[in-house]
Amino acid sequence: MSDLEDFDHVFDSTQDDGKTKNNESQEEETDISNLFGTKQIHIHKCLKCNHEVSKESIVLLCNLIYPDISAGKVEYTFCDVLARSLCPEQTTPAWCDRCERFQPTLQSRQLKVLPNILVMNCGLDNPQDKCFWQTQMDLVVQKVLDQGGNGPAVKPCRYGANCSRTGCRFKHAGRVQEDLIHYNNVATSVHLYNTHTWLPMHIQIQLLKRGSVNIKKISAPDANLSNDMSDSDDVSQSVQYDLAAIVCYINDPQHQERRNLVALINVGPSYHGRSMGSPVNQWYVFNDFSISPVPAQEAIWFSLDWKIPCVLYWVNRDMTKNVVSPIQNPITVDVFGEDNCLARNNGARKMITFTPLAPDEMPGPGDIVAMDAEFVTLNQEEAELRSDGKLSTIKPSHMSVARITCIRGSGPLEGTPFIDDYISTQEQVVDYLTKFSGIKPGDLDANFSSKHLTTLKATYQKLRFLVDNGVKFVGHGLKNDFRVINLVVPGDQIIDTVFLFHLPHHRMGSLRFLAWHFLGLKIQSITHDSIEDARTALPLISSVPTTGIGG
């Protein structure tokens, strides 16, 4: 098995010095490559004329390459397999431009820089590789049994794995599980495989100057190991890795339909220090929506008949926090200056109902902004009459935002709108709900609208900027408005008069009633208007302390 890529296309006959460098396809470094990227050189060397071609690349994931144990050496450590997987070699026929024919070619891979996060694909998708992994696990347990610890002291069978005697009382290579079960040690079997695993938790990789690697198993992080290296003159980089996550394939042999992937993740001490005040490491199993803590040994224990490792993640123990550049919000104040009206009606500019924000009055954290939104129906609700005479909803109506208004909550222009956007839609509107929304046919059509017509994306970005800037939104029924707009706003940034004036065990009061009762205003006499509704919500919040009504 090999994951060496085919690089016949990089052979170049432009130079005759025996070595050709092809760096034209070097990949641009990104945050992903800084985290997961392994810099390596692929080398093709003709074994007849020694013509050599190399190509540098960045690989984000490597495949484990398992040796063939059918003949020769049987026992391998995981570090042995990892080393041959990171720097594989194989001989295969390939075209040589210098010889002008297919020749035996040595294809190899040398490493230049080790990654901060080492990702390995286990590739256990065939019986041969599963057999190799299972054999190595059995050999680890067999060593424990040979030393007389945690298991029966049993002599080896002279027929070995070829023994066909039923109930043989001797031990057999490669049949550790069967032998333990035969001796009624099922509990011992589970315990041994759980406590003595082939997969190491912590490894150290030394990258040599010639491009090869030395890999060894090391102790836990709290052992205060130094990263000093022997033969340091020959070592260009040394990294200590801790196993951080494993993706496993779960297959229930009794129920073929029960197959899924789970992730076992080691959540670091920084998270627990924030949530519980105690900085500890803890492994969790993520199984769809179920998240449960598990012992660390559970992460590296496998039973290949139902729990198969797929992807392994090791993290550099000394990885700096500035490996990834800080995230910058792409939405800036410029979204207010990029607002273009889509209406083709020349009279639309005369119908502008808002005053744009000046640079010195941009709302900041804690500033009050009154908001209201109006909606239209894109499809009617579908219902059927049941046998008992009641209507049953089959498909609910689909609401779409049609108008969004934001009003200044303070400053010289308090109560003046700075956003009053009508949202253009390409879908057919079934019901404009004019009585409740104030939206009329043609208001959302770029060919006929006399309003300030924009796209949902343009208005959404302006709202998103306000949310990220920490403003507090005041309005009536904002929870439902934000849900339909599909905008997540922290609860402490919403002052909703629906809940502010709600008394326990009483129905929710309408904005029209609250305005009449507390402010002596009559609103919504003919139809709803988002500017009027948002402007009315502002004085309502100031009346709460004097009235003593709150929810």
Side-chain angles (χ1 to χ4, degrees):
M1 176 181 177
S2 173
D3 71 335
L4 283 176
E5 301 175 2
D6 184 8
F7 291 108
D8 291 341
H9 65 282
V10 303
F11 276 83
D12 192 342
S13 59
T14 56
Q15 298 184 23
D16 295 324
D17 57 355
K19 292 187 179 181
T20 302
K21 294 293 184 180
N22 187 344
N23 295 323
E24 295 178 358
S25 59
Q26 286 190 4
E27 303 173 26
E28 181 181 356
E29 292 190 5
T30 63
D31 289 339
I32 296 297
S33 64
N34 288 336
L35 281 175
F36 299 95
T38 302
K39 290 186 178 180
Q40 57 186 12
I41 301 176
H42 296 267
I43 301 175
H44 278 205
K45 181 178 180 180
C46 177
L47 297 180
K48 292 293 183 180
C49 67
N50 292 327
H51 179 59
E52 186 175 295
V53 175
S54 63
K55 178 184 179 182
E56 183 176 326
S57 63
I58 297 177
V59 175
L60 303 182
L61 177 143
C62 294
N63 296 319
L64 285 177
I65 302 175
Y66 303 105
D68 184 6
I69 59 175
S70 59
K73 183 179 178 181
V74 176
E75 184 177 0
Y76 292 84
T77 66
F78 183 85
C79 294
D80 293 336
V81 176
L82 184 59
R84 60 182 283 132
S85 302
L86 291 176
C87 300
E89 289 186 354
Q90 73 172 7
T91 301
T92 184
W95 180 263
C96 176
D97 281 342
R98 178 173 292 179
C99 297
E100 296 185 345
R101 65 177 63 188
F102 281 94
Q103 299 284 20
T105 304
L106 178 64
Q107 300 181 4
S108 60
R109 186 163 65 200
Q110 297 178 359
L111 302 187
K112 289 188 64 178
V113 179
L114 295 173
N116 284 293
I117 301 179
L118 178 64
V119 186
M120 299 301 300
N121 174 28
C122 295
L124 296 177
D125 52 1
N126 62 76
Q128 180 180 353
D129 293 339
K130 284 185 180 179
C131 178
F132 173 83
W133 192 293
Q134 183 65 57
T135 300
Q136 303 311 312
M137 293 194 300
D138 290 345
L139 289 172
V140 171
V141 174
Q142 188 69 63
K143 281 187 176 181
V144 179
L145 296 178
D146 291 341
Q147 296 170 1
N150 298 325
V154 185
K155 294 182 179 180
C157 178
R158 60 180 176 175
Y159 299 106
N162 297 321
C163 177
S164 59
R165 292 180 294 178
T166 304
C168 181
R169 58 190 180 88
F170 298 99
K171 66 182 179 181
H172 308 80
R175 289 161 52 179
V176 180
Q177 289 179 311
E178 297 177 14
D179 291 345
L180 287 173
I181 294 174
H182 173 69
Y183 287 101
N184 298 319
N185 284 293
V186 178
T188 301
S189 172
V190 174
H191 174 71
L192 287 176
Y193 280 93
N194 190 284
T195 55
H196 300 83
T197 58
W198 182 59
L199 180 67
M201 272 282 192
H202 315 281
I203 58 175
Q204 181 178 31
I205 302 180
Q206 295 179 348
L207 176 59
L208 306 182
K209 293 181 180 179
R210 59 180 178 271
S212 59
V213 292
N214 290 331
I215 305 178
K216 63 179 180 179
K217 179 181 177 180
I218 58 176
S219 57
D222 56 1
N224 197 23
L225 287 173
S226 65
N227 211 3
D228 295 337
M229 304 159 288
S230 60
D231 300 327
S232 57
D233 292 340
D234 191 38
V235 176
S236 61
Q237 186 182 6
S238 179
V239 180
Q240 295 178 0
Y241 289 98
D242 301 318
L243 190 64
I246 301 176
V247 178
C248 294
Y249 172 67
I250 305 300
N251 177 26
D252 187 347
Q254 304 298 327
H255 303 85
Q256 294 298 323
E257 70 279 1
R258 297 181 182 177
R259 300 176 180 178
N260 66 300
L261 293 175
V262 302
L264 295 111
I265 300 176
N266 185 13
V267 178
S270 59
Y271 168 78
H272 292 93
R274 294 193 306 268
S275 62
M276 299 181 295
S278 177
V280 296
N281 285 65
Q282 176 62 58
W283 282 87
Y284 289 89
V285 56
F286 290 75
N287 186 2
D288 201 4
F289 291 102
S290 175
I291 303 175
S292 307
V294 294
Q297 207 65 22
E298 174 72 19
I300 53 177
W301 172 82
F302 306 103
S303 181
L304 299 186
D305 56 340
W306 66 273
K307 181 185 178 185
I308 304 173
C310 297
V311 187
L312 310 174
Y313 296 82
W314 277 277
V315 176
N316 183 354
R317 188 178 296 180
D318 301 321
M319 183 173 62
T320 58
K321 295 181 179 180
N322 59 356
V323 173
V324 179
S325 56
I327 298 176
Q328 296 182 352
N329 192 341
I331 302 178
T332 64
V333 69
D334 295 335
V335 295
F336 289 92
E338 299 169 354
D339 193 7
N340 297 318
C341 181
L342 302 178
R344 300 184 180 93
N345 188 348
N346 293 330
R349 297 183 180 277
K350 301 178 181 179
M351 300 295 294
I352 297 298
T353 55
F354 63 94
T355 303
L357 287 169
D360 59 345
E361 59 173 351
M362 192 62 61
D367 290 344
I368 299 296
V369 170
M371 175 184 158
D372 189 61
E374 306 294 350
F375 304 91
V376 294
T377 303
L378 297 183
N379 65 276
Q380 294 286 9
E381 178 184 279
E382 296 181 13
E384 65 177 1
L385 186 64
R386 300 191 308 189
S387 58
D388 57 2
K390 296 182 179 179
L391 284 176
S392 176
T393 301
I394 300 176
K395 183 179 180 180
S397 60
H398 180 200
M399 306 294 292
S400 177
V401 62
R403 184 183 181 186
I404 295 177
T405 301
C406 290
I407 292 179
R408 297 168 174 84
S410 59
L413 297 178
E414 179 180 351
T416 303
F418 62 90
I419 296 177
D420 189 25
D421 293 347
Y422 286 75
I423 310 302
S424 175
T425 178
Q426 301 298 323
E427 300 185 52
Q428 183 177 0
V429 178
V430 174
D431 191 349
Y432 286 91
L433 304 174
T434 304
K435 181 179 179 182
F436 306 100
S437 66
I439 307 296
K440 300 177 181 179
D443 286 348
L444 308 182
D445 191 329
N447 294 315
F448 306 102
S449 179
S450 60
K451 312 297 183 181
H452 182 72
L453 197 64
T454 66
T455 63
L456 178 60
K457 178 181 178 180
T459 305
Y460 186 95
Q461 287 181 323
K462 288 185 281 188
L463 292 178
R464 183 76 263 172
F465 175 83
L466 295 176
V467 173
D468 296 341
N469 235 26
V471 306
K472 290 190 174 183
F473 293 91
V474 175
H476 195 79
L478 288 182
K479 181 179 180 181
N480 181 67
D481 290 352
F482 286 131
R483 180 182 63 82
V484 179
I485 297 171
N486 197 25
L487 182 66
V488 178
V489 182
D492 58 355
Q493 290 182 236
I494 299 177
I495 304 175
D496 198 330
T497 53
V498 165
F499 302 103
L500 197 63
F501 291 90
H502 180 236
L503 293 174
H505 310 296
H506 287 70
R507 70 175 186 177
M508 301 291 186
S510 67
L511 182 63
R512 182 179 182 182
F513 169 78
L514 297 177
W516 169 79
H517 184 78
F518 293 105
L519 305 177
L521 297 177
K522 291 185 179 181
I523 63 172
Q524 303 173 355
S525 55
I526 300 177
T527 184
H528 286 243
D529 181 80
S530 59
I531 292 180
E532 182 183 49
D533 292 353
R535 188 176 286 149
T536 303
L538 278 175
L540 277 176
I541 62 173
S542 61
S543 66
V544 174
T546 58
T547 59
I549 297 178

